[in-house]
């Protein structure tokens, strides 16, 4: 199957060809770029910063997502006054917005855990985690 995609201002036209029967068949889709852009908009750090809970099996760890930049980690500092984050997610020292959630990162800038838009994530150990706003 050969597919050619051409973008025209507010319309995407697709021409697909598979054998003589479908040759030249044109499929037109309405442009949904504004909806797509809105759904992929990353929140600003100032919108995300603040107290959070990392919740796992039998553990609730209070952390704070700060606006203190850590360049080496390509993110902002995570503070852990309870000392539980070090045990739960060793090496996680920073956070950063992601198109579909929030990443916690190590000093080297590598992602330790990704929390999706619903706050669901998985520790390197495989344990299910949830990131929630603390009140």
């Amino acid at each position: 199957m050969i597919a050619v995609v051409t973008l025209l201002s507010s319309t995407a036209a697709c021409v697909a060809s598979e054998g003589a029967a479908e040759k030249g068949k044109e499929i037109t889709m309405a442009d949904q770029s504004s909806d797509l852009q809105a759904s992929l908009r990353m929140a600003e750090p100032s919108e995300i910063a603040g107290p959070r809970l990392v919740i796992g099996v039998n553990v609730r760890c209070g952390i704070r997502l700060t606006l203190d930049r850590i360049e080496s980690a390509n993110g902002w500092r995570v503070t852990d006054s309870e000392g539980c984050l070090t045990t739960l997610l060793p090496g996680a020292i920073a956070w950063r917005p992601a198109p579909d959630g929030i990443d916690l990162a190590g000093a080297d800038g590598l992602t330790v855990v990704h929390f999706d838009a619903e706050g669901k994530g998985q520790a390197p150990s495989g344990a299910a985690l949830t990131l929630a706003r603390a009140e």
Side-chain angles (χ1 to χ4, degrees), residues 47-54 61-65 102 131-134:
E47 296 173 299
I48 300 171
R52 295 282 191 279
L53 289 173
V54 178
C61 179
I63 63 172
R64 178 169 290 279
L65 306 179
I102 297 173
L131 182 68
R133 244 183 225 281

Side-chain angles (χ1 to χ4, degrees), residues 66-78 93-97 103 105-106 109:
T66 74
L67 292 175
D68 299 329
R69 185 83 177 143
I70 301 177
E71 292 300 330
S72 67
N74 189 29
W76 289 265
R77 185 174 316 280
V78 173
I93 65 161
W95 70 275
R96 61 180 163 251
D103 292 338

Side-chain angles (χ1 to χ4, degrees), residues 29-46:
M29 300 178 302
D31 182 25
Q32 297 177 353
S33 64
S34 62
D35 290 340
L36 181 59
Q37 288 172 350
S39 69
L40 295 178
R41 180 191 163 279
M42 281 199 305
E44 292 295 321
S46 60

